[in-house]
Amino acid sequence: MMESVQQTITRVSQELNCSATSLRVAEHLDRHDELRLLRQEFLIPKISDLPPSDLSLVDGSEDCIYFAGNSLGLQPKNAKKYIEEELEKWATIGVHGHLKGSRPWAWAEDTLEELMAKIVGAKPEEVVLMNGLTVNLHLLMLSFYKPSPKRYKILLEDKAFPSDHYAIESQIRLRGLDVTDSMLIIKPRQGEDTIRTEDIVSVIEREGDAIALVMLSGVQYYTGQLFNMEAITSAGHAKGCLVGFDCAHAVGNAELQLHDWNVDFACWCSYKYVNSGAGGLAGAYIHEKHAHSVKPTLMGWWGHNLKTRFLMNNEMELQPGVKGFRLSNQPFLLVCPLQASLEIFNRTSMKDLRRKSVLLTGYLEYLIRHYYTKDPSAPDKPSVHIITPSDPQQRGCQLSLCFSCPIRTVFQELEKRGVACDMREPNVLRVAPVPLYNSFTDVHRFITALGSALSASGAK
Amino acid sequence: MMESVQQTITRVSQELNCSATSLRVAEHLDRHDELRLLRQEFLIPKISDLPPSDLSLVDGSEDCIYFAGNSLGLQPKNAKKYIEEELEKWATIGVHGHLKGSRPWAWAEDTLEELMAKIVGAKPEEVVLMNGLTVNLHLLMLSFYKPSPKRYKILLEDKAFPSDHYAIESQIRLRGLDVTDSMLIIKPRQGEDTIRTEDIVSVIEREGDAIALVMLSGVQYYTGQLFNMEAITSAGHAKGCLVGFDCAHAVGNAELQLHDWNVDFACWCSYKYVNSGAGGLAGAYIHEKHAHKMELQPGVKGFRLSNQPVLLVCPLQASLEIFNRTSMKDLRRKSVLLTGYLEYLIRHYYTKDPSAPDKPSVHIITPSDPQQRGCQLSLCFSCPIRTVFQELEKRGVACDMREPNVLRVAPVPLYNSFTDVHRFITALGSALSASGAK
């Protein structure tokens, strides 16, 4: 980025001869957003559609302000069309659908793997689409977590997403090891919200001989911190550890280069930034260097070489790498919305999406700081401490906002005004303006709604 | 069944004063089929829709003869409607869909568990809908296969479905055990096609002290044999083994009483006889007696890992609602007659005739005892099957071929008719002629 976000906003407001907080700045940024047309590829709820909306407060015919894509991404328009194509196929040709049509069910998900691989910075043969995230995490850990008496610990972050935490616990117990001793949990420093890369690296350097696996998230769900996956992987490898990441909040959000960074394995869900619908098809990645050395612990017939898979002679011809980790045929109903979404990603690049995202989230941050930086001379005025790092390289699109007042009523007032975002009581809002379908005007409207919500909740 | 299938066919043909092989018998049986209206709940391909159909040979406007429900069940009509409801919900309320609407996504699959449990003869708390079959099989075996130095073998059937075979192999290797030593594979007797229950029971009695797990299919995919799950479970328990079944071909086909039979665990897919679409949501069952040995939620509910996709819940819901309009008992009653009728006609036309050795004949691999089979018949032909199969497909038949000699045909009670069976026999005759076999 040649110009910082601050500089951009200042320049634009000067060109327009208006305040930096004016809606006109947002509208200008939207006009110059090369990706703005991608919004039209999605179905955006109207304010009047959302259950908590109060139409006495807002115009229900406007698009809602959807900043919940970090929780559930919006529906690509083509999802329905593709689903209908497959339902029609099922209705008209039945069992022949496995081999016929534009998405033969027997390998429907395979065709998406190339598109998915681009998004995570991997080769197609390193990526597989299957199951749900936690299932994939378990399948990968069954193969990558091979503790020995000396090297048996798993390094993970404090307040990891619950499913990851439980999965890691159960993998440790499966090996008959002690959970407390084997889970090495790294926290932020006292008084800090996020974990410094240098601290992660130094834990690995100090304890690495006892660490079998480094298993962090790519983007931390609560704080929005984007970990330095390249540095962490490097540090882990220097001490002989294997390194994997749960990329649930990173995929389609941060620019990932899993292959080049030498990440050993990763997994993700696709219903957040990859917009495939609740419970959508999950992903898994294994670096090609492991293709012939790391075998799936649990096997099923879908890991068998496609050419001979249906001979059914019960002699496994395992596909190399992550492809051999497949167990079952994946549902075409889940392939369809994922295809619709990946086609949209394919009209741009993660690089371009990130460029917009840095500006979009930076703009949100600018406005939040403008209005809600703590003011010592007005101690009763609500303020916001942004938990998420301010360095764009250390975050995705999400900002976690910690309010000086309890958040519940503020959140309810925001919802009445057509805002969809996430609340973590007692004080935190998570807001994720997403480059694919959010606009700078969305951000400006959010700030306006936030002001009203704070007033209405009595916080102001 | 008060009356055998043979007796039924004889009686009807006498009442109608026609041959037992007449179409009129089939039509009569259809008229008296209490479940015939359920066919209308499904989308049945027309002959002209199926890719291999040859419209110079058949009327393309007729319904195809779909005997491939053992491979992929037909689409319930409401599947599309329910899917559209959820797509509309996603489009209009986004993330709120987890908690709102008629199928809140956060627990959408839970509401179907009661309907599913009825079909497998279990309590709702013993059943969970999640993942795919092989994933569930692995999750269950990770908990139920706990080998010790003395008791470490897994008993399974010969020519088990490949995924099961690979899954069991890998579970054994995971424990650091030897696959050849730990897999105890039971075969049919020499010259027989199916495995006698007494032989399964006697293997268990003989080797049971070394068997950790008895893991058979409920219905064998290749032969169509329905195993005596109750007797096998009982025999297994008498020797201290745990007993589980892969019910992929049994669910929605055979009458299952998993709870009453004391089966320890089971798993199944839902895209065959339960018609939920390719890759549909799978099932898992754990007997409630094991409920509190597990952490988290008691029993099988604690085995859940992730939120399940509402797009898969929808077609499954549509299908389970149809099952709920009848019962497995009534479906089985029709199925026994339907498959019995098919068997009758096959035997009539294709029993080996020593005086005409070149005439094609069919040996039915599947047991003739209805208690030992579901709706599928595996037909072993005296001639190579590939061309016959192609000729059948040209005539609007959907079924399954296992080279070199076997056809698997599955007339399904929910949507197949006696007329379908009769039409199949007619098509088979033409196909055999056309393939040069006759």
Side-chain angles (χ1 to χ4, degrees):
Chain A
M1 288 227 54
M2 300 304 295
E3 188 181 54
S4 75
V5 173
Q6 170 90 45
Q7 288 167 334
T8 303
I9 294 167
T10 306
R11 174 177 59 74
V12 168
S13 64
Q14 282 171 356
E15 283 172 18
L16 299 175
N17 194 27
C18 68
S19 151
T21 59
S22 161
L23 177 62
R24 292 176 60 204
V25 171
E27 289 168 341
H28 174 100
L29 292 171
D30 279 329
R31 275 194 304 275
H32 289 84
D33 169 18
E34 289 172 354
L35 303 182
R36 71 190 175 284
L37 292 179
L38 294 180
R39 183 185 174 97
Q40 294 167 21
E41 299 299 323
F42 291 90
L43 296 170
I44 314 218
K46 294 293 180 198
I47 290 183
S48 57
D49 290 326
L50 297 185
S53 296
D54 181 341
L55 302 184
S56 69
L57 298 174
V58 272
D59 178 355
S61 69
E62 292 202 6
D63 287 345
C64 76
I65 301 159
Y66 196 84
F67 284 172
N70 58 337
S71 181
L72 183 79
L74 291 180
Q75 183 180 154
K77 282 183 179 164
N78 278 339
K80 182 171 179 182
K81 175 172 132 185
Y82 295 168
I83 286 171
E84 286 177 346
E85 284 170 5
E86 294 310 305
L87 288 175
E88 181 67 8
K89 195 170 89 169
W90 180 14
T92 51
I93 68 174
V95 68
H96 293 276
H98 285 301
L99 303 180
K100 299 257 183 260
S102 63
R103 291 172 203 91
W105 304 328
W107 55 83
E109 70 274 20
D110 300 20
T111 62
L112 299 183
E113 282 159 1
E114 198 178 321
L115 293 180
M116 189 75 252
K118 269 205 239 184
I119 292 177
V120 300
K123 298 183 172 188
E125 57 266 33
E126 295 176 322
V127 168
V128 107
L129 292 164
M130 60 181 186
N131 307 323
L133 165 51
T134 311
V135 174
N136 291 351
L137 181 56
H138 276 298
L139 293 176
L140 290 165
M141 283 205 285
L142 279 170
S143 288
F144 280 92
Y145 179 47
K146 301 281 194 200
S148 67
K150 289 214 172 119
R151 187 188 282 283
Y152 60 95
K153 298 194 188 214
I154 299 183
L155 175 68
L156 69 155
E157 81 253 29
D158 188 43
K159 295 192 171 51
F161 192 79
S163 214
D164 291 12
H165 191 99
Y166 300 143
I168 289 171
E169 272 191 7
S170 53
Q171 287 280 337
I172 289 168
R173 282 207 201 89
L174 176 66
R175 306 320 193 272
L177 299 173
D178 176 71
V179 164
T180 315
D181 186 33
S182 308
M183 280 176 94
L184 188 50
I185 295 179
I186 180 163
K187 291 164 119 88
R189 291 187 189 191
Q190 186 77 13
E192 295 183 1
D193 300 302
T194 53
I195 311 174
R196 303 189 190 194
T197 304
E198 67 207 71
D199 290 351
I200 299 172
V201 166
S202 76
V203 164
I204 294 173
E205 282 170 359
R206 203 174 59 239
E207 315 241 7
D209 292 328
I211 297 174
L213 209 56
V214 174
M215 257 265 13
L216 300 177
S217 53
V219 167
Q220 221 283 334
Y221 86 97
Y222 187 87
T223 64
Q225 173 178 15
L226 166 60
F227 290 107
N228 186 333
M229 295 165 66
E230 185 174 16
I232 293 167
T233 304
S234 186
H237 287 167
K239 296 296 290 191
C241 320
L242 289 165
V243 183
F245 291 94
D246 173 348
C247 290
H249 282 266
V251 170
N253 180 15
E255 269 188 276
L256 299 176
Q257 300 295 346
L258 297 180
H259 175 90
D260 290 349
W261 295 340
N262 251 304
V263 173
D264 295 298
F265 69 92
C267 50
W268 57 89
C269 51
S270 65
Y271 59 82
K272 298 178 195 301
Y273 299 107
V274 183
N275 315 302
S276 71
L281 212 51
Y285 150 93
I286 295 179
H287 199 286
E288 65 176 353
K289 68 185 171 188
H290 298 298
H292 299 284
S293 53
V294 175
K295 305 282 183 205
T297 301
L298 301 181
M299 290 201 281
W301 74 320
W302 226 246
H304 191 113
N305 181 347
L306 179 61
K307 290 193 180 62
T308 51
R309 187 180 297 160
F310 303 110
L311 290 182
M312 326 264 281
N313 58 10
N314 290 2
E315 283 166 29
M316 176 54 98
E317 277 179 42
L318 195 60
Q319 294 178 72
V322 73
K323 311 289 189 190
F325 279 63
R326 287 196 186 122
L327 296 172
S328 311
N329 184 211
Q330 294 307 306
F332 67 81
L333 283 172
L334 299 187
V335 169
C336 292
L338 181 55
Q339 178 188 345
S341 174
L342 292 177
E343 287 174 348
I344 302 169
F345 275 93
N346 204 39
R347 290 172 51 180
T348 173
S349 63
M350 281 312 302
K351 197 175 153 86
D352 286 346
L353 284 169
R354 271 293 285 167
R355 186 187 303 123
K356 172 178 174 175
S357 178
V358 167
L359 185 54
L360 190 63
T361 293
Y363 179 56
L364 172 64
E365 182 186 29
Y366 177 92
L367 292 171
I368 292 282
R369 287 194 195 287
H370 177 91
Y371 289 107
Y372 301 109
T373 296
K374 196 166 173 58
D375 180 358
S377 70
D380 292 338
K381 188 164 174 278
S383 61
V384 171
H385 163 60
I386 302 179
I387 292 172
T388 315
S390 57
D391 174 9
Q393 300 312 309
Q394 295 188 56
R395 69 187 188 200
C397 62
Q398 171 184 317
L399 292 183
S400 301
L401 312 174
C402 185
F403 284 73
S404 59
C405 53
I407 202 57
R408 179 183 283 230
T409 321
V410 180
F411 178 73
Q412 285 165 351
E413 292 296 330
L414 274 171
E415 289 205 306
K416 285 183 187 174
R417 288 159 176 75
V419 174
C421 63
D422 177 82
M423 160 180 71
R424 299 279 139 173
E425 293 193 87
N427 295 93
V428 170
L429 274 191
R430 296 188 303 150
V431 285
V434 146
L436 271 182
Y437 51 72
N438 286 124
S439 65
F440 296 88
T441 300
D442 280 344
V443 171
H444 196 275
R445 290 170 66 211
F446 170 76
I447 292 293
T448 303
L450 181 57
S452 303
L454 283 162
S455 295
S457 73
K460 264 192 166 154
Chain B
M1 287 230 54
M2 299 304 293
E3 190 180 54
S4 74
V5 173
Q6 170 90 45
Q7 288 168 331
T8 303
I9 294 167
T10 306
R11 173 177 61 74
V12 168
S13 64
Q14 282 170 356
E15 282 172 16
L16 299 175
N17 193 29
C18 68
S19 151
T21 58
S22 161
L23 177 61
R24 293 175 59 203
V25 171
E27 289 168 341
H28 173 100
L29 292 172
D30 278 328
R31 275 194 305 276
H32 289 82
D33 170 19
E34 290 174 350
L35 303 182
R36 70 190 176 284
L37 292 179
L38 294 181
R39 182 186 175 95
Q40 294 167 19
E41 299 298 324
F42 292 88
L43 297 170
I44 314 220
K46 294 293 181 199
I47 289 183
S48 58
D49 290 329
L50 297 185
S53 296
D54 181 340
L55 302 185
S56 68
L57 298 173
V58 272
D59 178 356
S61 70
E62 292 202 7
D63 287 345
C64 77
I65 302 159
Y66 196 84
F67 283 171
N70 58 338
S71 181
L72 183 78
L74 291 180
Q75 181 180 158
K77 282 184 178 165
N78 278 340
K80 181 171 178 182
K81 175 172 132 182
Y82 294 169
I83 286 170
E84 286 177 344
E85 284 169 5
E86 294 311 307
L87 288 175
E88 181 66 9
K89 195 170 91 169
W90 180 14
T92 52
I93 69 173
V95 69
H96 293 275
H98 286 300
L99 302 180
K100 298 258 185 261
S102 62
R103 291 173 204 91
W105 305 327
W107 55 84
E109 70 274 20
D110 301 19
T111 62
L112 300 183
E113 282 159 1
E114 197 175 324
L115 294 180
M116 190 76 250
K118 268 204 240 186
I119 291 175
V120 300
K123 299 185 172 189
E125 57 266 33
E126 295 176 320
V127 168
V128 108
L129 292 164
M130 60 183 186
N131 306 323
L133 166 50
T134 311
V135 173
N136 291 352
L137 181 56
H138 277 298
L139 293 176
L140 290 165
M141 283 204 287
L142 281 171
S143 285
F144 280 92
Y145 178 48
K146 301 279 194 201
S148 66
K150 289 211 171 122
R151 186 188 282 283
Y152 60 94
K153 298 191 188 219
I154 299 183
L155 176 69
L156 68 156
E157 82 255 29
D158 187 41
K159 294 192 171 46
F161 193 81
S163 215
D164 292 12
H165 191 99
Y166 301 145
I168 289 171
E169 271 191 9
S170 51
Q171 288 277 340
I172 289 168
R173 282 203 204 93
L174 174 62
R175 307 318 193 273
L177 298 174
D178 176 71
V179 164
T180 315
D181 185 33
S182 308
M183 279 177 95
L184 188 49
I185 295 178
I186 180 165
K187 291 164 122 83
R189 291 188 190 190
Q190 186 76 15
E192 294 183 2
D193 300 302
T194 54
I195 311 175
R196 302 189 191 194
T197 304
E198 69 207 70
D199 290 352
I200 300 172
V201 166
S202 76
V203 164
I204 295 174
E205 282 169 357
R206 203 174 60 238
E207 314 241 9
D209 292 329
I211 297 174
L213 209 57
V214 174
M215 256 267 8
L216 300 177
S217 53
V219 168
Q220 221 283 332
Y221 86 96
Y222 187 88
T223 64
Q225 175 179 14
L226 167 59
F227 290 107
N228 186 333
M229 296 165 67
E230 185 174 16
I232 292 168
T233 304
S234 186
H237 287 166
K239 296 296 289 190
C241 321
L242 288 167
V243 183
F245 291 93
D246 175 347
C247 290
H249 282 266
V251 170
N253 181 15
E255 270 189 274
L256 300 175
Q257 299 295 346
L258 297 180
H259 175 89
D260 290 348
W261 296 340
N262 250 305
V263 174
D264 294 298
F265 69 91
C267 51
W268 56 90
C269 52
S270 64
Y271 59 82
K272 299 179 195 304
Y273 299 108
V274 184
N275 315 302
S276 71
L281 211 51
Y285 150 93
I286 296 179
H287 199 285
E288 66 177 354
K289 67 185 171 187
H290 298 294
H292 296 286
K293 296 176 197 154
M294 317 294 173
E295 298 178 10
L296 307 170
Q297 289 184 70
V300 73
K301 310 289 188 190
F303 277 60
R304 288 198 186 119
L305 296 171
S306 312
N307 184 212
Q308 295 306 304
V310 74
L311 285 174
L312 299 187
V313 168
C314 293
L316 181 55
Q317 178 187 345
S319 174
L320 292 178
E321 287 174 349
I322 302 168
F323 275 93
N324 204 40
R325 290 172 50 179
T326 174
S327 63
M328 280 313 301
K329 198 174 154 88
D330 287 345
L331 283 168
R332 269 294 283 171
R333 187 187 303 122
K334 173 177 174 177
S335 178
V336 167
L337 185 54
L338 190 64
T339 294
Y341 179 56
L342 172 65
E343 180 185 31
Y344 177 92
L345 293 171
I346 292 280
R347 288 195 196 286
H348 177 92
Y349 289 106
Y350 300 107
T351 294
K352 196 167 175 56
D353 179 358
S355 70
D358 292 336
K359 186 163 176 279
S361 62
V362 171
H363 163 60
I364 302 179
I365 293 173
T366 314
S368 57
D369 173 8
Q371 300 312 308
Q372 295 187 56
R373 67 186 189 201
C375 63
Q376 171 184 318
L377 291 183
S378 301
L379 311 174
C380 186
F381 283 72
S382 59
C383 53
I385 202 58
R386 178 184 284 229
T387 321
V388 181
F389 177 72
Q390 287 166 348
E391 292 295 331
L392 274 171
E393 288 206 306
K394 285 183 188 172
R395 289 158 175 76
V397 174
C399 63
D400 177 82
M401 161 180 69
R402 300 279 142 174
E403 292 192 88
N405 295 95
V406 170
L407 274 189
R408 295 188 306 151
V409 284
V412 146
L414 270 182
Y415 51 73
N416 285 123
S417 66
F418 297 88
T419 301
D420 279 344
V421 171
H422 196 275
R423 291 170 65 212
F424 169 76
I425 292 295
T426 304
L428 181 58
S430 305
L432 284 162
S433 296
S435 73
K438 265 191 166 155

